[in-house]
Amino acid sequence: MSSTETNIFADGKHTFAMIKPLTVGRGNTIDVLNRLTKFGFQIQQIALVPRCPATMEALYASHKGKPYYDDLVKSMSVNSVVPLVLYHPTEDAISYMRKCLGATNSYLAEAGTIRAEFGGHVWRGTNAPMNDNAMHASDSAEAAAYEASLFFKL
């Protein structure tokens, strides 16, 4: 991001998140969006993006070299994804979004969280792969700006 661009995510009210392909394929996109709005998020930008391994490689570039990287990129490229730029008027959007998602392992996610309700363990049992956890969410303003830039003009 150049010095003349504004990182909208630096305000603490915006975040980037993405509904993962298996969640989209299961027909849960609208239910997840409804849950996000019940958590108080406002959708600023949304898209339905066809599967694209190159975009997923870029999205998860920080994981390259880790043992799970190839499986992660492959699983994220099986179907369309729904990237989102979200706004929350009263919370730190990045940390609140991660709280609303729940634990990375959806089987261990707290009841009432998105991953507890829509994660792969619901359909595949406790042996569901860790990356079948309904959604991706940015962990910092810098990550949100980069990740959103893969899908949207900001």
Side-chain angles (χ1 to χ4, degrees):
M1 180 171 293
S2 75
S3 60
T4 59
E5 293 178 274
T6 302
N7 179 353
I8 65 165
F9 303 98
D11 70 357
K13 300 297 180 189
H14 290 84
T15 192
F16 173 81
M18 184 177 66
I19 303 173
K20 291 186 171 184
L22 292 175
T23 306
V24 172
R26 290 182 183 119
N28 291 319
T29 301
I30 298 301
D31 294 328
V32 170
L33 294 172
N34 284 335
R35 180 64 58 88
L36 290 171
T37 59
K38 286 180 183 173
F39 284 134
F41 286 100
Q42 298 169 14
I43 299 168
Q44 301 282 294
Q45 294 197 45
I46 186 171
L48 178 64
V49 178
R51 64 187 192 95
C52 180
T55 302
M56 294 304 117
E57 288 173 1
L59 182 69
Y60 291 107
S62 64
H63 298 269
K64 193 167 187 154
K66 295 184 179 170
Y68 57 83
Y69 175 77
D70 290 337
D71 286 340
L72 177 61
V73 170
K74 183 178 177 182
S75 73
M76 291 299 295
S77 302
V78 298
N79 198 0
S80 299
V81 295
V82 178
L84 304 156
V85 173
L86 300 168
Y87 171 82
H88 200 288
T90 61
E91 300 285 341
D92 173 340
I94 291 171
S95 61
Y96 183 59
M97 179 65 194
R98 295 179 70 79
K99 178 181 175 184
C100 294
L101 283 184
T104 302
N105 182 334
S106 64
Y107 180 69
L108 302 175
E110 184 178 332
T113 63
I114 289 171
R115 288 179 172 154
E117 181 140 349
F118 301 104
H121 74 282
V122 175
W123 293 269
R124 300 168 79 172
T126 58
N127 292 326
M130 184 95 62
N131 56 27
D132 185 4
N133 62 0
M135 289 190 76
H136 165 88
S138 300
D139 62 2
S140 68
E142 295 76 22
Y146 170 72
E147 293 167 357
S149 76
L150 297 171
F151 301 97
F152 303 109
K153 284 189 173 251
L154 301 173

